[in-house]
Amino acid sequence: MTDPDDLTARARIRDAAMRHFGEHGFERATIRGIAVEAGVSLGLVRHHFGSKQALREACDAHLIKLLRELNDQVPDDLATSVTANPVAAARVAVGPYRDYLVRALVEGGVAPLFDEMVELGTNRLVAADRQRTDPPTVEPKIRAAIGTAMALSITVLHQHISRAAGIDILSPAGDNMLARALIDIYSHPQLSLEEAQAALDRLPAEGN
């Protein structure tokens, strides 16, 4: 959600760029088109950002700022949380920029955001691993990267998920359903750790 105090010309241009990038993609987007979207002169856009690449970097930096704010709202122990549904909080915060995020993910962009999500996820996993009685077999960063990809795929595939679920996943009701589904998925694995590892051990060795 756009911060009411963040309505400077620079912020308006940045938000306009995110809408423009989301609609046209980075390659087809133009500085002139962004200026029209923002209702400012072409010169003002160049004054604040200089280039289209710098604009994209500012867009990514804004998403990272939102991500850090969301992360700070989520306690290490989710069971102790008395705040709003974190799924709902993420939907509201990212909502205005969803088209930008989806387009950038499909085009292979937003690497800084992905890396930041992996770093934050890694930190949480390292802390959680200390409480585990079963030592993890995959390093935290790899697990965090896969978890990040899974989380972002919901944004990209939200239309398909909504169709399968019979509910708009990007609605308040969808927030509740998605949160409950994620809890069920993560708390009830389809295989026990022993069964899963035994199945992998039966596979042929690499190269055979």
Side-chain angles (χ1 to χ4, degrees):
M1 180 180 297
T2 302
D3 187 334
D5 296 327
D6 191 24
L7 296 178
T8 62
R10 181 181 175 88
R12 291 201 311 274
I13 294 168
R14 179 205 64 218
D15 283 358
M18 295 179 89
R19 293 192 298 271
H20 195 70
F21 287 143
E23 180 178 356
H24 300 285
F26 181 74
E27 293 301 327
R28 292 176 55 207
T30 65
I31 294 289
R32 185 176 300 279
I34 291 168
V36 171
E37 180 78 25
V40 300
S41 68
L42 180 63
L44 189 61
V45 177
R46 294 195 180 280
H47 168 74
H48 281 293
F49 296 97
S51 69
K52 189 167 70 169
Q53 177 59 33
L55 254 172
R56 178 160 70 171
E57 291 171 0
C59 293
D60 289 350
H62 184 59
L63 286 179
I64 290 173
K65 176 176 177 288
L66 291 177
L67 172 65
R68 289 173 177 165
E69 291 173 351
L70 285 170
N71 184 71
D72 289 343
Q73 295 173 22
V74 179
D76 292 334
D77 183 1
L78 289 176
T80 66
S81 176
V82 293
T83 59
N85 183 340
V87 173
R91 176 180 61 81
V92 172
V94 177
Y97 313 113
R98 185 172 295 108
D99 289 346
Y100 171 81
L101 180 58
V102 169
R103 173 79 75 157
L105 286 168
V106 172
E107 293 179 342
V110 290
L113 176 69
F114 188 93
D115 293 346
E116 181 72 15
M117 291 180 69
V118 171
E119 181 177 351
L120 294 173
T122 299
N123 293 339
R124 286 186 176 270
L125 285 173
V126 168
D129 286 350
R130 298 192 188 103
Q131 309 300 320
R132 287 181 57 168
T133 58
D134 55 325
T137 59
V138 179
E139 64 178 274
K141 186 174 183 179
I142 294 176
R143 285 180 282 142
I146 293 172
T148 294
M150 292 170 64
L152 289 173
S153 70
I154 293 175
T155 300
V156 176
L157 300 173
H158 66 87
Q159 291 178 325
H160 299 293
I161 299 172
S162 297
R163 186 177 65 255
I167 185 173
D168 181 4
I169 200 71
L170 303 179
S171 68
D175 295 335
N176 186 273
M177 188 275 290
L178 179 57
R180 290 181 180 277
L182 290 171
I183 289 171
D184 192 84
I185 290 169
Y186 283 110
S187 62
H188 295 87
Q190 295 183 17
L191 291 173
S192 70
L193 179 62
E194 293 77 13
E195 290 173 330
Q197 289 181 334
L200 286 176
D201 291 341
R202 288 195 296 271
L203 295 176
E206 186 177 350
N208 291 345

